[in-house]
Amino acid sequence: MTAGDHRKLGAADEGVDGTLRRCIVTRESRDRRAMVRFVVAPDGSIVPDLEERLPGRGFWLSADRDVVNTACAKNVFAKAARMKVTVPPDLADRVEERLVARCLNFIGLARRAGRAFAGFEKVKARLREGPVGLLIEASDGTPGGRSKVEGLAQGARRVGLFTGAELGRALGRDRTVHLVLESGALTNRLMAEAERLAGFRGSSGPEDHGDLNESDRRKNGMT
């Protein structure tokens, strides 16, 4: 979605059924899991509330870098709040940084729970045993190594949003390229956060890409 696709700006909408929220830029109502909540801090600054726990009226935006940048450029937060607010110029970057941290935290929790397998050989061995919850491969991994793993993961949900250094940090290593997570609550929460993060990293979130060819997967940031 680009700035030119956005509809008329409007006020925040807290939703009706507790699930849908209305984006103050696009005016579209969407599942709250595909959106980001913002609030006005006591000092008048706009801050992201990814956990949806901060007090005060929430202002919702679609989880999309272009949408956040449009809100910043067109003073949408002040119009929605009906007051003067301070909007950090790097707000979209801050949201991305926090989403990455949340994703890596879930990966770390999965590792500590024994639900994650990392490394080329361990991942291949686990994939040969049967279905997994999610295959994660570093966005900067070598095509050869990734293709060998992909051949064993037909039909698996995959994501390639993280660098090897980021994955390594989540697992207490210098770098990790190949990782699989077992199905379960942690993996589901990670996938939901990865969907939001994809809107800020210019690629798709977790999907079943078994029917896409290699070039399509590379273009979509999926492996």
Side-chain angles (χ1 to χ4, degrees), residues 136-150:
I136 305 174
E137 293 189 281
S139 58
D140 53 354
T142 60
R146 291 170 63 170
S147 64
K148 291 178 181 178
V149 171
E150 290 166 7

Side-chain angles (χ1 to χ4, degrees), residues 27-59:
R27 299 295 292 163
E28 296 175 347
S29 293
R30 303 183 63 188
D31 189 316
R32 66 192 298 169
R33 292 171 298 182
M35 305 187 74
V36 177
R37 183 178 189 261
F38 297 83
V39 299
V40 181
D43 64 358
S45 63
I46 294 294
V47 296
D49 177 26
L50 300 183
E51 296 82 6
E52 301 177 15
R53 295 177 180 175
L54 294 178
R57 184 186 181 191
F59 302 99

Side-chain angles (χ1 to χ4, degrees), residues 12 16 27 32 63 73 80 83 98 118 137 150 172-173 180 187 189 196 200 223:
V16 177
R27 299 295 292 163
R32 66 192 298 169
M83 62 181 289
R98 295 188 184 187
E137 293 189 281
E150 290 166 7
R173 303 179 177 187
V180 292
T187 297
R189 295 183 68 183
R196 294 202 290 179
F200 292 85
T223 57

